[in-house]
Amino acid sequence: MAGTAHEGAGSKGVSRRGFITATGSILGAAALGGQAGAARAHAASAAPVIADGAHVPALVIGTGYGGAVAALRLAQAGVDVHMIEMGMAWDTPGPDGKIFCNTREPDRRSYWLRTRTKAPLNYFLGFPIDRDIPRYTGILDAEEFGGITVYQGRGVGGGSLVNGGMAVVPRRENFAAVLPSVNADEMYGVYYPRANAGLGVGTVDPAWFDSTECYQYSRVGRKHAQRSGFPFVFVPDVYDWDYMKREAAGTATRSALAGEILYGNNHGKKSLQKTYLARAAATGRVAISPLHRVTSVAPASGGRYRVVIEQLDTGGAVTATKAVTAGRVFFAAGSVGTSKLLVKLRATGVLPALNGEIGKGWGDNGNVMCGRANHLWDPTGALQSSIPCSGIDNWAAGGAFAEVAPLPTGIETFASFYLSITRNPNRAQFSWNAATGRVELNWQASWKQPSIDMARTIFDKINSKEGTIYRTDLFGVYKIWGDHLTYHPLGGAVLNRATDNYGRLTAYPGLYVVDGSLIPGNTTVNPFVTITALAERNIEKIIDVDL
Ligand code: FAE
């Protein structure tokens, strides 16, 4: 069964889990080319989970975009790396023969330690759709703070396991608002192209788009956008577009066309397991410990750091606590994970010299969702690819970039569905609550109002032009806006404020931040290409100067 293979692995020697992690990656590497696969086999046999008392030259906390870039480039520079990941390896099929479950039939694999699903779009036709599931270290975490639910991927590959794969480079004219201290010429000349190549980004074939049944919903989105005078754009993605064509032709197992996205994709999506992490493993210098969670990083003798790690079982219980030392530690636990660790370590006196910017500058990338009810002569299709490929760009005029999103329910809904990224100016702060022993986030539910107003600059106009209305049955009983969540947490350890201009936590030589927490709350588009490109830029400098 999925996951039980992970239980009971010892902390010393070549465990079954360590072997599975690396061999699973071989499959990914093999898909990319035989050479990587061969090199990977070597990594597999030499990849135990981390042992209590171990010393590693470089320890990376988290296996998402920032962590994967750091691990690959450090390994290529000759540094041995150990990656610590709180989620599962996601390389072993369940009883249904699939590694990941489907959005239509969520089972225990769907959510991180919940007994009931918490679907982002949680109503349909006005009825709640969440269901009970066994508590398990599933793939999607719906982490609840006071005013917002933050969705994040859990497992080897981080957010790349659950996201839509939309790989968007911000418009050059918007870049200064995203990362004001970074040289844009370098980013657009070197690091964005490097990130796109490393991630395997591609764009849908426009001729196929125009004819395939599975993008009818996108074509309806285009028609409505253009009739209201909005620029419609194709959005690149890391999905294997040739594979999707074969899905549509009936010659490959359906994946994007079977509603696989939010709880993992079994075939066509090029998650980090198939790209950066496969290449990292192929160096033979990178090991990964899944179901291991870092709880502390403290200075130790000789300029090293003592890292405390909890090993988890698939019910979320701690089965072992390990202490290891590391020469350098890279925080890549994501905006929320890295911020929570750093805020706690500063407040509890473990890393007291971290500066006062730690925990600040957090934003939701202005995420807000909505649906529109189309006329009966405008069906959006029963078969919808779960991979979005287009958007409506009204950033300059209205502060909103809306992705034309799928509703892959398997039935005709006559709904157009959108995830908007907006120029929401609100920023929240993480802080330590000593009484509860938890890190809190002071985001207020009402802070989404600017996002709603900006999204309305697009959809009020389209509704008026088309004579249509908003759907009110997707997020509750008579509720138009999905304004309770974000998929795009950003900030909390902002570049050139909490860190230096390359992610160094300068009070502690050898500690670095390499993930989405560096970005001050908004990227104007979907964020992972920017996170990847910034990590490429920063790690290059760190390797050149610090190593
Ligand atoms: P991330 O990928 O979150 O990786 C952090 C890793 O650290 C995770 O694997 C955690 O389990 C792990 N971790 C956390 N705490 C610890 C700890 N204490 N010890 C050990 N491990 C830990 O970080 N972005 C796009 O650009 N395009 C999209 O189409 C898109 N769609 C999305 C759809 C969904 C449903 C979601 C949830 C996100 C989507 N995103 C999308 C956002 C994107 O996935 C996200 O910005 C990146 O994954 C963030 O990358 P990081 O490297 O910062």
Side-chain angles (χ1 to χ4, degrees):
M1 295 206 307
T4 47
H6 304 298
E7 288 161 357
S11 61
K12 295 203 165 72
V14 180
S15 72
R16 178 156 164 71
R17 174 175 25 224
F19 182 75
I20 287 172
T21 304
T23 49
S25 308
I26 288 174
L27 297 177
L32 293 175
Q35 225 182 348
R40 188 94 195 210
H42 172 72
S45 56
V49 296
I50 202 156
D52 189 26
H55 173 73
V56 294
L59 185 140
V60 176
I61 308 171
T63 56
Y65 294 92
V69 171
L72 171 63
R73 301 307 176 197
L74 287 164
Q76 287 175 333
V79 181
D80 287 329
V81 179
H82 204 114
M83 305 183 81
I84 308 295
E85 170 54 56
M86 67 191 272
M88 305 207 317
W90 298 111
D91 55 7
T92 310
D96 58 358
K98 293 176 188 275
I99 292 176
F100 305 112
C101 68
N102 192 289
T103 41
R104 292 171 205 150
E105 292 292 330
D107 59 27
R108 66 177 190 165
R109 290 170 289 188
S110 57
Y111 281 88
W112 177 257
L113 302 177
R114 280 184 173 272
T115 53
R116 195 164 169 77
T117 62
K118 193 170 171 64
L121 197 149
N122 51 342
Y123 276 73
F124 191 62
L125 303 174
F127 292 100
I129 58 169
D130 282 315
R131 58 165 78 175
D132 292 340
I133 45 167
R135 186 181 149 90
Y136 189 66
T137 46
I139 199 162
L140 185 64
D141 194 353
E143 191 168 358
E144 291 177 82
F145 292 98
I148 193 164
T149 301
V150 184
Y151 284 87
Q152 297 152 89
R154 294 277 174 250
V156 173
S160 79
L161 295 166
V162 299
N163 66 33
M166 291 178 76
V168 199
V169 175
R171 281 177 178 274
R172 173 86 186 238
E173 61 265 33
N174 297 330
F175 184 79
V178 179
L179 290 164
S181 65
V182 172
N183 180 330
D185 289 341
E186 285 181 4
M187 287 297 282
Y188 285 81
V190 179
Y191 301 110
Y192 274 119
R194 188 177 293 173
N196 278 332
L199 293 165
V201 175
T203 304
V204 66
D205 167 0
W208 183 70
F209 171 86
D210 273 331
S211 62
T212 180
E213 183 188 353
C214 69
Y215 280 121
Q216 185 175 338
Y217 73 94
S218 250
R219 293 195 299 273
V220 170
R222 174 175 63 185
K223 181 175 70 180
H224 292 171
Q226 290 178 339
R227 284 209 290 228
S228 285
F230 293 113
F232 171 90
V233 290
F234 282 118
V235 173
D237 201 281
V238 297
Y239 204 83
D240 179 338
W241 293 105
D242 287 333
Y243 187 86
M244 199 190 295
K245 280 184 179 173
R246 286 190 276 129
E247 290 180 53
T251 55
T253 306
R254 284 188 168 184
S255 186
L257 269 52
E260 292 179 356
I261 177 167
L262 209 48
Y263 310 135
N265 181 285
N266 285 299
H267 295 283
K269 198 170 81 183
K270 290 177 265 181
S271 70
L272 290 168
Q273 290 178 325
K274 296 182 185 173
T275 57
Y276 274 95
L277 291 173
R279 289 173 67 200
T283 66
R285 289 191 177 277
V286 178
I288 303 179
S289 291
L291 287 175
H292 279 61
R293 178 172 59 203
V294 171
T295 59
S296 180
V297 178
S301 60
R304 296 177 170 187
Y305 291 91
R306 179 176 184 271
V307 182
V308 180
I309 304 167
E310 293 175 341
Q311 184 167 359
L312 308 176
D313 67 19
T314 55
V318 176
T319 56
T321 301
K322 304 174 181 180
V324 305
T325 56
R328 297 172 197 279
V329 178
F330 295 82
F331 288 83
S335 161
V336 174
T338 291
S339 301
K340 285 199 309 188
L341 273 172
L342 292 176
V343 164
K344 181 181 90 172
L345 296 174
R346 180 172 185 267
T348 55
V350 179
L351 295 175
L354 289 175
N355 78 28
E357 291 290 325
I358 294 292
K360 293 185 181 169
W362 186 87
D364 67 341
N365 209 24
N367 281 189
V368 67
M369 295 176 178
C370 68
R372 291 179 38 256
N374 292 318
H375 296 295
L376 292 182
W377 57 84
D378 252 348
T380 45
L383 177 68
Q384 301 197 1
S385 169
S386 63
I387 298 297
C389 70
S390 62
I392 303 168
D393 188 354
N394 195 39
W395 190 265
F401 174 86
E403 139 191 347
V404 180
L407 267 180
T409 56
I411 57 169
E412 176 58 57
T413 63
F414 297 97
S416 284
F417 185 54
Y418 308 91
L419 166 62
S420 298
I421 294 161
T422 64
R423 201 192 290 134
N424 188 316
N426 291 308
R427 295 293 178 268
Q429 182 175 352
F430 292 95
S431 58
W432 174 245
N433 182 332
T436 60
R438 294 172 68 88
V439 175
E440 293 171 352
L441 180 67
N442 68 351
W443 182 270
Q444 308 295 308
S446 61
W447 290 2
K448 285 281 193 183
Q449 191 57 46
S451 293
I452 293 174
D453 296 341
M454 291 170 191
R456 289 182 65 159
T457 65
I458 299 176
F459 303 114
D460 280 6
K461 189 168 177 191
I462 291 180
N463 276 338
S464 150
K465 176 81 183 167
E466 300 297 326
T468 51
I469 56 170
Y470 288 102
R471 291 285 287 234
T472 57
D473 61 328
L474 302 176
F475 301 103
V477 180
Y478 206 82
K479 181 164 167 40
I480 291 175
W481 298 98
D483 58 355
H484 56 297
L485 58 80
T486 185
Y487 285 175
H488 299 165
L490 293 167
V494 170
L495 189 83
N496 214 28
R497 289 194 234 152
T499 72
D500 78 354
N501 204 21
Y502 291 90
R504 299 182 183 95
L505 292 161
T506 46
Y508 296 98
L511 295 191
Y512 308 89
V513 177
V514 290
D515 59 16
S517 51
L518 292 170
I519 294 172
N522 201 299
T523 51
T524 75
V525 290
N526 314 59
F528 75 62
V529 180
T530 297
I531 295 171
T532 305
L534 186 66
E536 289 280 19
R537 166 194 180 266
N538 293 351
I539 199 70
E540 186 175 88
K541 176 67 85 180
I542 289 163
I543 289 169
D544 278 357
V545 176
D546 298 14
L547 305 181

